[in-house]
Amino acid sequence: MAVTHLECKECKAQYPLEALYVCDRCFGPLEVAYDHSRWKPDVAELRRRIQGGPQNIWRYADFLPLAGGPPGPSGRLASRVGLPAGCTPLIRADRLAAELGLREVWVKNDAANPTHSFKDRVVSVAVTRARELGFETIACASTGNLANSVAAHGAALGMESYVFIPADLEEQKILATGVYGTRLVGVEGSYDDVNRLCTELSAERGWAFVNINLRPYYAEGSKTIAFEIAEQLGWEVPDRCVVPVASGSLFTKIARGFAEWGEVGLLDGRLPKMNGAQADGCSPVASAFAAGHDVCRPVKPHTIAKSLAIGNPADGPYALDLARRTGGSVDSVSDEEIRAGISLLARTTGIFTETAGGVTTAVLAKLAERGDIDPDERVVLVITGEGLKTLDAVRGTFETHTIQPTVEAFEAGVPGAVTV
Ligand SMILES: *Cc1c(COP(=O)(O)O)cnc(C)c1O
Ligand SMILES: [Zn+2]
């Protein structure tokens, strides 16, 4: 088993693998540390081991923070983790690439998870670790997709769950959460208010708040997107990844995944250029990037991309450093551009994404237009959520031709319907 301890990202102080998330000494965030040295000699064996694993994120269990070690066959695993996530499609998107003047664009479609967003990866890992640590109740502070995933995992595992959301969330996300029988709490306030409340509650209750006291384990789940992309590209690192940024956890952990596989020799050790994507209405990281700052100034969000509406991003400084270090950037786009991004992806790939995916697609378009992307680069666009959850974003963007049920009405009422 490779996982060894928790470590402060700032002062490197070490902690045991418990429900801890902040350093006592410097208040820095804690992260899971591993010792992969025993794998180094035999890359071929490690690849076989991964390829022989289950068709979900647990094929990467050697790189995940579970005390139980690598899992057995997928049947036994299902009862252990409830809702297996991952192994989502990586699709080559030639028509999208052509429209943007690029040569090679791939779409990682993480809407194809059990509750239709990448959050199933992080929740699977956090909840599995929570069970190992003996917790009986799971909880979260959510911008929407985390709510869906925590409620569903609670239902799958028969654990009690509490889900805290801003009360003004999209109705589709509220309905797709409550249906699982969770205790759903709508807080009058922004996500940052919800998060503050949950941080207080996590100190008082013996609950596993997946993105607060279990955050070091939760964050590890995002590495599995990088592992899958590399495996799906034939054990290669793409040249560039375009990734949405809310707290910055997904963005930084994708790079961490490529780096870890570089360290054990599964990949060549390069990092892709990392491009972060935010909405203009909540762009603390993009603004700091543009201004050349190392830290983010908190903002009050106002955007249709509610799943990215974190005004005070925990991993902001690390996201800035990563974007600069890899020759990437963090950019933001307007609500209009977000809607256009959703349409662009839908009509060129057949993938309908939520507003966060509109942000990511629009930032890719912006980078292409600006000439930041070499036409020969292999680019991966990380699509993190499903369009059916944010239907308001596409309302009024197209026309329905309503007609009487006759051929004449069809030919009179629908453009292009008359054949010559
Ligand atoms: C949560 C979320 C993200 C990014 O979250 P981070 O906090 O930056 O890890 C991106 N897209 C969607 C759809 C999300 O729900
Ligand atoms: Zn510290």
Side-chain angles (χ1 to χ4, degrees):
M1 188 186 50
V3 57
T4 53
H5 60 273
L6 296 180
E7 191 169 291
C8 174
K9 274 181 98 157
E10 292 298 325
C11 76
K12 311 294 171 201
Q14 297 194 358
Y15 294 86
L17 290 161
E18 287 165 14
L20 301 169
Y21 65 105
V22 65
C23 179
D24 290 342
R25 296 193 213 163
C26 76
F27 301 105
L30 304 186
E31 191 168 47
V32 177
Y34 301 82
D35 176 9
H36 289 304
S37 51
R38 75 174 170 119
W39 294 118
K40 254 185 185 146
D42 200 346
V43 168
E45 190 215 304
L46 183 49
R47 280 188 186 161
R48 269 198 302 277
R49 191 177 158 89
I50 291 167
Q51 287 168 329
Q55 292 291 322
N56 55 54
I57 59 166
W58 301 107
R59 69 204 275 106
Y60 310 117
D62 289 326
F63 300 88
L64 294 172
L66 300 188
S74 48
R76 236 181 323 135
L77 193 68
S79 63
R80 194 164 129 202
V81 301
L83 278 182
C87 285
T88 60
L90 180 72
I91 298 157
R92 184 155 173 166
D94 286 340
R95 296 185 52 245
L96 174 61
E99 192 139 336
L100 298 176
L102 303 173
R103 263 247 303 269
E104 192 175 341
V105 175
W106 297 77
V107 177
K108 180 65 172 165
N109 184 14
D110 242 30
N113 269 306
T115 71
H116 316 292
S117 86
F118 98 91
K119 290 296 198 298
D120 291 320
R121 299 175 184 273
V122 286
V123 172
S124 278
V125 175
V127 168
T128 303
R129 184 65 190 141
R131 294 241 291 187
E132 286 184 349
L133 290 170
F135 285 97
E136 284 163 8
T137 301
I138 53 175
C140 69
S142 173
T143 58
N145 286 313
L146 189 55
N148 295 173
S149 187
V150 165
H153 277 80
L157 292 165
M159 296 176 85
E160 196 167 22
S161 66
Y162 285 82
V163 166
F164 297 81
I165 52 171
D168 69 349
L169 214 56
E170 296 97 341
E171 189 184 22
Q172 291 95 6
K173 283 187 182 158
I174 295 177
L175 295 173
T177 300
V179 69
Y180 296 114
T182 185
R183 288 170 203 259
L184 182 57
V185 185
V187 177
E188 307 278 357
S190 69
Y191 169 80
D192 299 280
D193 297 319
V194 176
N195 191 51
R196 212 172 311 119
L197 169 64
C198 289
T199 303
E200 272 182 55
L201 285 173
S202 79
E204 277 180 13
R205 315 265 160 156
W207 299 345
F209 275 87
V210 297
N211 58 335
I212 300 178
N213 51 337
L214 274 287
R215 189 171 181 85
Y217 308 100
Y218 162 98
E220 288 293 287
S222 287
K223 293 189 308 192
T224 60
I225 297 190
F227 297 157
E228 284 176 24
I229 290 169
E231 201 187 339
Q232 288 167 317
L233 291 176
W235 308 99
E236 283 186 18
V237 183
D239 298 311
R240 184 184 296 274
C241 291
V242 187
V243 180
V245 172
S247 72
S249 174
L250 169 67
F251 183 69
T252 51
K253 285 292 179 167
I254 286 180
R256 183 69 226 151
F258 289 122
E260 255 178 48
W261 272 19
E263 283 159 29
V264 299
L266 281 170
L267 299 174
D268 64 14
R270 258 181 336 122
L271 281 189
K273 296 187 178 71
M274 294 293 297
N275 289 101
Q278 295 206 296
D280 285 347
C282 182
S283 59
V285 189
S287 304
F289 185 88
H293 296 159
D294 296 335
V295 292
C296 303
R297 182 178 308 150
V299 301
K300 206 168 178 331
H302 188 75
T303 168
I304 59 169
K306 294 184 188 219
S307 54
L308 302 182
I310 298 185
N312 188 10
D315 291 302
Y318 306 110
L320 287 166
D321 173 60
L322 176 66
R324 292 189 176 119
R325 202 153 39 83
T326 58
S329 67
V330 185
D331 286 273
S332 68
V333 288
S334 70
D335 283 358
E336 259 342 281
E337 289 172 299
I338 295 170
R339 290 181 217 275
I342 294 173
S343 303
L344 173 63
L345 186 71
R347 69 188 159 70
T348 58
T349 68
I351 295 169
F352 179 26
T353 185
E354 70 154 80
T355 44
V359 169
T360 319
T361 307
V363 165
L364 173 66
K366 180 172 264 190
L367 296 169
E369 198 178 318
R370 214 159 61 194
D372 283 14
I373 303 178
D374 187 296
D376 289 337
E377 282 182 31
R378 176 183 275 176
V379 181
V380 174
L381 178 66
V382 178
I383 293 300
T384 46
E386 162 63 48
L388 293 172
K389 291 196 202 181
T390 61
L391 287 171
D392 283 340
V394 296
R395 189 159 288 145
T397 60
F398 56 88
E399 200 182 331
T400 307
H401 307 284
T402 306
I403 59 163
Q404 292 298 311
T406 65
V407 171
E408 295 73 33
F410 171 62
E411 292 186 343
V414 182
V418 182
T419 51
V420 196

